[in-house]
Amino acid sequence: MVKNRRYEDEGSVFGIRHLQCFLLFCGLSVAYALRVNLSVAIVAMTDKNATNPDFDEYDWTEKTKSLLLSSFFWGYVVTQVPAGQLARKFGGKIMLLSGVFICSLLTVLTPICARLGDWQLVCALRVMMGLSQGFLFPSTHTILSKWAPVEERGTLGTYSYSGTQFGTVVMLATSGVMASSVMGWPSIFYISGGVGLVWSVVFFIWGASSPSEYRNISPEEKKLIETSLGSSSEDETTKAPTRTPWVKFFTSVPFLVLTLTHCTHNWGFWTLLTEIPSYMKNILGMDIKSNALLSALPYAAMFLMSFVFSALQSQLSKRECIPLSVSRKLFNSIGHWIPMITLVCLGYVSANDTNLAIILLTITVGINGATYLGFQVNHIDLSPNFAGILMGITNCAANIMSIIAPLIVGFIVTDEKNPEQWRIIFFIAAGFYFIGNLLFVLFGKVKVQSWNDAQPKHSTNGKRNSTFVESQH
């Protein structure tokens, strides 16, 4: 097929689709900052001598802390599946905007709730925050499926979702400083929640669910996106399936494998994300300031490595070196099996060898950035029309693991200073990484599934099933 040079040139400049991805990047950054702020704040909330002693201290046991850290996900899993359906019906913008705004408002109220209702009220608040953030990924996937041309799907998806790591880095790196400031640990919640409210206003003004909803998009860029996706504003509603094929979702082997891969990924990733601050404090003996900064280092590495892997895939695409299916499995293997090895090694690191432990933690989390080009974007590969719903289903199942993982840590790590108990935690996470990626390598697919469309695809949509890695530029 001969490419239209005018549209190709339009794809090389900063367009409205890039603005939408930047807004998604910022929104995901804020959302993850709100999600992980308790991981560091809870250290200060339960040990006032570690930061500013002028603020309240709470006598929470390790099991109570694990309960609080996992409570977010109780609500988070509930709204995942309905979120995908609602985002498809009403548009990703309104769902994403509502979720982040509500979560930001609840975050600002966290210190007051802790003072009035102790851990029970904080737990309830975190459940409600989880309910609101359940709209996050399904809405983002729905927006990306409308804005990202097939040729740029990997890059734009990586750029957007790298915001999750950026928000994590900023929150973990600054929490210790904020907790030690004159505003104390409550400032962690006030500042992060306030930023979320500001983003909500910005996204309300400049965000859009699809190119057809953005008035100032150029005709060239709009045509570029529609041609790539095989749709246009005139026939978009008639081509899209009117019913959701739920039964076919759950009888599709590639989708079931994708769900299992997502589950195993979340076990390893969220075990580390929620427990690294405690591990560094109790095993490596770090105070909260260095704890927060070094806790952020692995996620800074993941943020940077996601762009490195995206550039590598871009080169593979240009040279047409490997098929798209091999690319997805290659990057997913890098993102899961290398961390599997480093987690096993981490289990045998002496408590006195702090530098080696930090290096291994950084590699473990940093290399996870390759999964953005693996299973994370596979939902859109399988079904662009139902990408948000598929993400809602897999993320719902995966975040059941996010609930269980911190609770398992609470039951296994009865002595926070016992490295052998932490070794068990690392081995369990490594085992999940191995099993999940093995299933994806053996049974994962990238071909658009037959249930994606209400009727056979038009010839203009042929590029969806391209044998080679999609071009990144």
Side-chain angles (χ1 to χ4, degrees), residues 165-473:
Q165 306 315 317
F166 184 75
T168 301
V169 169
V170 172
M171 193 74 261
L172 293 179
T174 59
S175 292
V177 176
M178 288 188 284
S180 300
S181 69
V182 294
M183 295 178 65
W185 60 259
S187 64
I188 295 174
F189 301 102
Y190 295 147
I191 294 174
S192 59
V195 172
L197 295 175
V198 171
W199 177 87
S200 300
V201 174
V202 173
F203 191 64
F204 176 77
I205 297 172
W206 286 293
S209 295
S210 66
S212 61
E213 293 184 11
Y214 201 96
R215 294 182 179 180
N216 295 327
I217 188 172
S218 68
E220 293 81 10
E221 184 178 12
K222 186 177 181 182
K223 187 66 175 179
L224 167 72
I225 297 170
E226 291 173 347
T227 301
S228 179
L229 299 180
S231 64
S232 65
S233 57
E234 290 77 14
D235 65 359
E236 187 176 297
T237 55
T238 58
K239 287 177 62 178
T242 56
R243 293 183 179 181
T244 302
W246 295 103
V247 174
K248 292 183 179 179
F249 289 166
F250 294 103
T251 55
S252 170
V253 172
F255 176 64
L256 294 176
V257 168
L258 174 60
T259 303
L260 291 173
T261 304
H262 199 162
C263 287
T264 57
H265 170 84
N266 265 37
W267 182 286
F269 185 80
W270 281 99
T271 295
L272 291 173
L273 183 59
T274 57
E275 300 300 335
I276 278 180
S278 295
Y279 174 77
M280 287 187 165
K281 178 177 182 288
N282 296 298
I283 299 298
L284 305 183
M286 298 178 178
D287 61 65
I288 189 168
K289 285 187 179 179
S290 58
N291 184 344
L293 290 171
L294 290 174
S295 293
L297 181 60
Y299 302 98
M302 185 174 179
F303 173 70
L304 296 174
M305 289 302 297
S306 64
F307 294 100
V308 173
F309 290 128
S310 181
L312 177 60
Q313 191 198 32
S314 175
Q315 290 303 311
L316 293 174
S317 170
K318 285 181 178 180
R319 300 173 186 273
E320 295 189 341
C321 297
I322 56 177
L324 176 58
S325 61
V326 175
S327 173
R328 291 282 187 257
K329 295 174 182 181
L330 170 64
F331 284 100
N332 209 71
S333 297
I334 293 172
H336 280 175
W337 281 353
I338 292 179
M340 173 194 69
I341 295 171
T342 56
L343 276 172
V344 172
C345 295
L346 187 63
Y348 289 100
V349 173
S350 168
N352 297 323
D353 204 344
T354 303
N355 291 335
L356 179 57
I358 293 172
I359 290 172
L360 288 173
L361 278 171
T362 302
I363 293 173
T364 301
V365 179
I367 298 298
N368 260 174
T371 61
Y372 288 129
L373 300 161
F375 85 90
Q376 301 260 22
V377 77
N378 193 228
H379 307 77
I380 307 178
D381 292 331
L382 296 179
S383 177
N385 282 330
F386 298 106
I389 297 176
L390 297 187
M391 172 55 84
I393 296 171
T394 68
N395 214 28
C396 174
N399 279 284
I400 293 175
M401 296 296 188
S402 302
I403 295 173
I404 298 173
L407 294 176
I408 293 297
V409 173
F411 282 107
I412 294 177
V413 183
T414 55
D415 179 3
E416 296 173 307
K417 299 185 182 297
N418 187 335
E420 293 184 0
Q421 293 181 354
W422 284 100
R423 182 183 302 161
I424 297 173
I425 298 302
F426 295 143
F427 283 4
I428 293 173
F432 275 109
Y433 275 146
F434 175 76
I435 294 171
N437 186 64
L438 181 63
L439 291 171
F440 190 73
V441 169
L442 293 177
F443 303 108
K445 302 291 182 183
V446 297
K447 182 180 179 181
V448 176
Q449 300 301 290
S450 59
W451 37 263
N452 174 68
D453 292 300
Q455 63 279 329
K457 304 177 189 64
H458 298 278
S459 60
T460 56
N461 202 26
K463 288 197 294 181
R464 275 188 198 163
N465 293 317
S466 173
T467 304
F468 293 95
V469 180
E470 64 263 42
S471 172
Q472 301 296 302
H473 297 287

